Amino acid sequence: MPASPSRPRTALLLMAAGSGSRFGTATPKQFLTLAGSPVIRHAALRLAPEADLVQPVGEAAPIEAALAGIAHLPVVAGGVTRQQSVLAGLEALAPHAPEWVLVHDAARPFVPPGTVEALLAALGQVPGAIPAVPVADTLKRADGTGRIAETVPRAGLYRAQTPQAFHFATLLRLHRTAAPDATDDAAILESAGLPVALVPGSDDNIKLTYEDDMPRLERVLLGAMLPRVGLGFDVHALVEGRRLVLCGIEIPHTHGLLGHSDADVAMHALCDAIYGALAEGDIGRHFPPSEANWKDADSSVFLRHAAGRIAACGGLLANADITLICERPKITPHAPRMIARLAEILDVGTERISVKATTTERLGFTGRMEGIAAEAVATVLVPRQAGTK
Ligand code: CTP
Ligand code: MG
């Protein structure tokens, strides 16, 4: 996990105990889904690889659900104010004695590449460093009646962001005696007269605060993803005495498909398309046919797994298109139910899924109704990894 084995042991404090009162949804903003993943998950996927320990702070159940598959310490409960929540996290980290700590708002899903590197480089000289953006707009102070009281000179003013980086022991010591109302951690070092460095922040490092921030953040997150396309193909033999299951729907027919599982040829092709897009092999690699567990298995287990692999990397399914190749049964009358079932399993809108069919004009094994073939294409958007080609 550590980016560099030579740098001091670094912990990440992921702050998620707020209720998001300015946002106004029942679910706190850090758990809302944006660009395919919960906001806090985007933050964790970007920052966890830069730290040796991850300490989330907030309500355990939604945090555990959002961070599935990302190694972290047991979640600790937060406090009434952000400062109290940070203190709770620091105390939980204390027995692990990290040398440095990154304190990050879970409500900031996009930390640009290079930010942590710049922060940690600064910690060689000073006990604290934060990313910040110079204020570009002219600043006005309001008089409380909707009118301007005065213009505030903006020279030398910055907007503070997170992650903020500190020498762990210094931050913990100061937090233990700090006033409970600091809205960032740098303020606590400032009050103690300790130097805090400014490193370049980014306008894309948006803290989800108001509902209006959602579309802007979604653009930022989607803009940092690359499309990947995968192709799947599968064939199963048609025999008497078996159920016919296609795209998760049982279809009345004289014959059914032969196979180890329920032989849902369409769902298998779709799984392979998704695994292909992720460059993660095929269905046989994840579910070896030699394993007895998959005998007559409902193939939705496989598709759920494929969807889980997309979620694991913080990606999303942009679309999937399936073509069934058979003379009979006619697929079109069943397509809406098939689409609805696949969308349900994948947890995406039905507009992202297409199911269609063709015959082979009575030619070949599909023409002779000896078997059914299926092809699938899936487009998956995957976060661009910093430093990859
Ligand atoms: N936070 C926290 N504990 C608190 C308050 C805030 O851990 N008692 C976290 C939030 O979950 C968020 C980050 O600190 O990730 C920044 O706080 P802010 O954006 O102010 O979030 P909320 O306090 O939840 O929102 P609001 O101020 O609108 O209520
Ligand atoms: Mg707040």
Side-chain angles (χ1 to χ4, degrees):
M1 211 166 20
S4 148
S6 58
R7 64 127 171 84
R9 242 161 72 86
T10 303
L12 168 67
L13 211 51
L14 204 49
M15 305 311 305
S19 62
S21 56
R22 285 170 289 179
F23 196 85
T25 47
T27 304
K29 58 192 182 177
Q30 59 272 28
F31 303 120
L32 298 178
T33 295
L34 249 185
S37 297
V39 168
I40 183 176
R41 184 173 180 85
H42 283 288
L45 284 169
R46 287 187 170 270
L47 292 180
E50 316 245 22
D52 303 283
L53 296 165
V54 177
Q55 176 63 69
V57 181
E59 199 187 330
I63 292 179
E64 290 295 352
L67 298 189
I70 301 173
H72 58 270
L73 295 168
V75 177
V76 295
V80 174
T81 67
R82 185 183 182 283
Q83 191 274 326
Q84 289 166 336
S85 298
V86 173
L87 177 57
L90 293 172
E91 294 288 7
L93 277 172
H96 302 277
E99 286 175 71
W100 290 351
V101 63
L102 293 160
V103 186
H104 185 62
D105 296 334
R108 292 184 191 267
F110 186 80
V111 179
T115 307
V116 172
E117 205 183 327
L119 291 166
L120 298 187
L123 288 189
Q125 285 84 48
V126 283
I130 73 165
V133 178
V135 171
D137 299 320
T138 297
L139 291 177
K140 305 290 183 190
R141 192 185 310 282
D143 67 359
T145 70
R147 295 190 181 169
I148 295 171
E150 60 169 338
T151 297
V152 180
R154 70 172 178 230
L157 290 185
Y158 286 78
R159 290 185 285 123
Q161 301 179 330
T162 75
Q164 301 192 346
F166 304 95
H167 293 175
F168 179 79
T170 304
L171 189 67
L172 175 58
R173 176 171 56 80
L174 295 176
H175 257 283
R176 280 178 174 161
T177 54
D181 52 1
T183 56
D184 83 346
D185 303 285
I188 288 167
L189 269 73
E190 296 157 33
S191 308
L194 294 177
V196 180
L198 296 169
V199 310
S202 164
D203 278 334
D204 289 343
N205 186 351
I206 298 163
K207 187 178 72 167
L208 187 57
T209 305
Y210 301 103
E211 279 201 72
D212 282 359
D213 297 326
M214 288 287 269
R216 234 164 17 115
L217 255 177
E218 189 167 45
R219 276 200 300 278
V220 168
L221 291 168
L222 290 177
M225 289 179 164
L226 284 179
R228 301 233 199 125
V229 175
L231 183 68
F233 178 73
D234 195 24
V235 173
H236 281 270
L238 274 171
V239 294
E240 282 182 271
R242 289 266 302 179
R243 298 183 311 140
L244 179 62
V245 181
L246 294 172
C247 299
I249 300 294
E250 186 164 346
I251 295 172
H253 194 52
T254 53
H255 292 63
L257 290 174
L258 185 63
H260 192 61
S261 64
D262 62 9
D264 188 335
V265 66
M267 217 183 272
H268 296 180
L270 178 54
C271 289
D272 272 0
I274 293 172
Y275 293 132
L278 297 172
E280 288 197 11
D282 59 18
I283 201 167
R285 176 169 132 195
H286 298 281
F287 299 93
S290 54
E291 285 181 20
N293 315 6
W294 316 125
K295 184 160 164 39
D296 294 325
D298 178 343
S299 292
S300 63
V301 173
F302 311 147
L303 190 58
R304 259 190 212 99
H305 176 268
R309 298 308 303 156
I310 298 175
C313 68
L316 66 92
L317 181 73
N319 84 305
D321 181 22
I322 297 174
T323 301
L324 277 154
I325 305 166
C326 58
E327 299 291 329
R328 294 226 166 70
K330 289 287 163 223
I331 299 302
T332 315
H334 305 286
R337 273 178 66 219
M338 292 174 165
I339 289 168
R341 178 70 184 135
L342 294 175
E344 181 192 352
I345 296 167
L346 291 163
D347 195 19
V348 299
T350 50
E351 75 285 354
R352 298 194 187 204
I353 309 292
S354 151
V355 174
K356 57 199 193 310
T358 185
T359 70
T360 49
E361 300 291 334
R362 302 191 175 224
L363 298 170
F365 71 86
T366 51
R368 292 188 297 272
M369 292 187 269
E370 293 164 9
I372 296 181
E375 291 184 323
V377 180
T379 310
V380 177
L381 301 183
V382 176
R384 200 184 296 150
Q385 300 293 313
T388 55
K389 289 184 199 167

